[in-house]
Amino acid sequence: MSEHLAVVEWSRGDQDFTGNRYSRAHDWRFDGGAVVRGSSAPTSVPEPLSDPAAVDPEEALVAALSSCHMLFFLAFAAKGGFTVDTYRDDAVGVLGRDERGKTSIISVALRPAVAFSGENQPDAAAIDVLHHRAHEACYIANSIRADVTIEPR
């Protein structure tokens, strides 16, 4: 088992908190030193109280799922003797009402485009197996309720 830490930090400053006129922008700080600007989604809290340039929690969940899937895919491809040159996923998460009537990320479509090089090229069936194995192993996919589909491009 392992622990994964993040510090989420927000400060009111001189903003009108009880009047609901405060910025939702904040910082995510990670143990390696990375700092990511976070905010509520502008679709949830309109600008200027949200920062559209920042990462909202919904985007972060989609990115975490996509990243986890990719890292396992790369590991399984390397073990299979396939050389991956590039991997790009235009992942999309959908916020909606789940079966409990709660607003949640109800589905995520991973749409990875992978380019291989070298003599050992995987066929479509081998790529499907790599994606299936990556999905089954992904910690984030195993942690969420949303339906996840993989739509290789």
Side-chain angles (χ1 to χ4, degrees):
M1 293 298 153
S2 60
E3 290 184 337
H4 303 272
L5 307 175
V7 173
V8 177
E9 195 169 47
W10 172 88
S11 178
R12 178 179 64 85
D14 62 357
Q15 301 171 87
D16 179 8
F17 187 77
T18 58
N20 203 27
R21 300 290 307 160
Y22 60 92
S23 174
R24 275 44 169 203
H26 54 280
D27 289 325
W28 300 347
R29 298 182 186 282
F30 299 95
D31 59 358
V35 178
V36 175
R37 193 69 169 160
S39 179
S40 56
T43 55
S44 296
V45 178
E47 291 180 63
L49 302 178
S50 286
D51 180 356
V55 178
D56 62 65
E58 298 84 359
E59 291 171 324
L61 178 69
V62 172
L65 176 62
S66 174
S67 178
C68 184
H69 181 91
M70 178 196 71
L71 292 168
F72 275 108
F73 182 94
L74 295 176
F76 293 138
K79 286 180 185 173
F82 304 116
T83 300
V84 176
D85 286 337
T86 61
Y87 183 110
R88 177 187 168 124
D89 185 359
D90 294 318
V92 177
V94 176
L95 189 67
R97 297 266 182 211
D98 66 16
E99 72 281 357
R100 303 166 299 165
K102 295 187 178 283
T103 301
S104 66
I105 298 291
I106 57 173
S107 66
V108 179
L110 303 181
R111 299 183 297 184
V114 184
F116 297 88
S117 66
E119 295 201 15
N120 189 17
Q121 293 281 320
D123 60 15
I127 292 171
D128 285 345
V129 167
L130 290 170
H131 281 300
H132 178 76
R133 289 181 65 203
H135 180 67
E136 289 294 312
C138 174
Y139 310 139
I140 307 303
N142 290 329
S143 301
I144 65 171
R145 300 170 46 102
D147 291 326
V148 178
T149 58
I150 293 100
E151 304 166 2
R153 296 179 291 128

